[in-house]
Amino acid sequence: MGLLDIFTGGSGPEKALKLKPKVTQKYGDPATRQKAIQQLGEMKVPEAVSVLLSRFTLTVDPLTTDADEKEHTFELVKSFGKEVAVPPILEFLRTSEQAASWALRLLGELTSEEETITACVNALQHLSAHYTRNPEKKVVLLHHVASSQDPRIPPAVVPFLEDMSDDVKIAALKALGVFKYEPAREPMLKLLTADETARRVQTSVLSALAEGGFSVEGYQEKVQPLLVEPYALGNDQRIQRRA
């Protein structure tokens, strides 16, 4: 620690970490939180990015102030540039159950689409292997990859067909629909025909099966009574969507 550090409260990384309680202060004078955010924005160290990202994990009143602060934080993080900002953003996306949408938005500004998809795939693989109580992060990630044709996506998405949350299952099915990924056929048919599967999930399965052009071979008798408009079973044992 240098002489200047004695008067400024420590080195850049140490000072950044000390500001975290102020950045995540939900109540009290908002000026204290806003000053800490601005101070962090002036420190060009990865630890400052990590602390700034924690601001996205809470909501303060009034909502207009919350939105303004988050947008300001977003611009500050972006100003750090790819080299400094991206590593802590990736770590935040991997470890935090909250604010995945902000992390993805930042990655979209700082990296290529391929790099962002890589981050999503890595995060989904981590989530499929570790328990998480909140389904929101899974849904956000699955929705983000749903518009991509990257072949790494289907293997990372299939495990979520067995998730406890119906919203996660539906998001996974939408992500899988655009792929003709044969290993997904059996898990989708098992989900469709399981006694405990909710009707809205079944409808999403039918849509994914129709979009993927999959046969229901081996499941015809179980699938037939589950068909609802506009879905029907063709002579080739594939789900068809009527016009």
Side-chain angles (χ1 to χ4, degrees):
M1 181 180 288
L3 181 62
L4 182 61
D5 294 333
I6 297 174
F7 297 103
T8 59
S11 66
E14 291 173 341
K15 188 173 181 180
L17 294 173
K18 287 180 180 178
L19 287 171
K20 186 171 183 177
K22 293 181 179 179
V23 171
T24 55
Q25 174 184 293
K26 189 175 176 69
Y27 304 104
D29 186 358
T32 301
R33 185 176 58 246
Q34 291 162 7
K35 180 181 178 182
I37 290 171
Q38 189 59 44
Q39 286 178 304
L40 286 161
E42 295 166 4
M43 301 179 195
K44 298 307 177 184
V45 294
E47 290 80 4
V49 175
S50 297
V51 176
L52 283 169
L53 291 171
S54 67
R55 175 59 187 87
F56 296 124
T57 66
L58 71 148
T59 302
V60 302
D61 291 324
L63 293 179
T64 51
T65 297
D66 184 71
D68 288 344
E69 283 185 18
K70 284 177 177 172
E71 286 297 334
H72 182 49
T73 301
F74 176 88
E75 292 300 327
L76 288 175
V77 172
K78 195 169 69 168
S79 72
F80 279 70
K82 180 177 180 178
E83 185 176 344
V84 176
V86 169
I89 293 171
L90 291 175
E91 178 64 13
F92 178 82
L93 182 63
R94 189 182 72 84
T95 59
S96 175
E97 290 194 16
Q98 300 169 284
S101 58
W102 284 101
L104 291 175
R105 185 178 161 196
L106 281 163
L107 289 175
E109 292 282 344
L110 294 167
T111 69
S112 66
E113 178 62 19
E114 182 180 357
E115 290 172 302
T116 302
I117 292 298
T118 297
C120 288
V121 169
N122 290 341
L124 286 169
Q125 289 172 337
H126 179 79
L127 282 170
S128 66
H130 296 81
Y131 172 77
T132 177
R133 182 179 57 188
N134 186 355
E136 179 185 358
K137 180 179 179 180
K138 300 174 188 177
V139 172
V140 168
L141 288 166
L142 290 166
H143 281 169
H144 191 86
V145 300
S147 59
S148 173
Q149 295 288 328
D150 194 299
R152 296 172 295 171
I153 292 170
V157 170
V158 168
F160 294 96
L161 296 177
E162 298 181 5
D163 197 86
M164 294 178 61
S165 166
D166 285 350
D167 288 339
V168 172
K169 291 172 186 169
I170 290 171
L173 288 161
K174 288 180 179 177
L176 286 169
V178 297
F179 293 93
K180 298 185 185 299
Y181 185 63
E182 181 61 31
R185 187 189 83 93
E186 190 84 12
M188 285 196 289
L189 287 168
K190 286 182 177 179
L191 177 60
L192 174 63
T193 57
D195 292 338
E196 67 274 13
T197 300
R199 170 55 69 180
R200 67 191 186 104
V201 176
Q202 290 177 330
T203 302
S204 293
V205 178
L206 292 172
S207 176
L209 288 169
E211 191 169 1
F214 291 120
S215 165
V216 301
E217 184 179 356
Y219 288 82
Q220 300 96 314
E221 291 185 6
K222 291 182 178 180
V223 169
Q224 191 68 54
L226 300 175
L227 294 172
V228 293
E229 290 292 341
Y231 302 103
L233 194 59
N235 294 332
D236 58 358
Q237 299 183 23
R238 300 180 191 276
I239 302 292
Q240 299 176 347
R241 191 197 306 264
R242 293 194 181 101

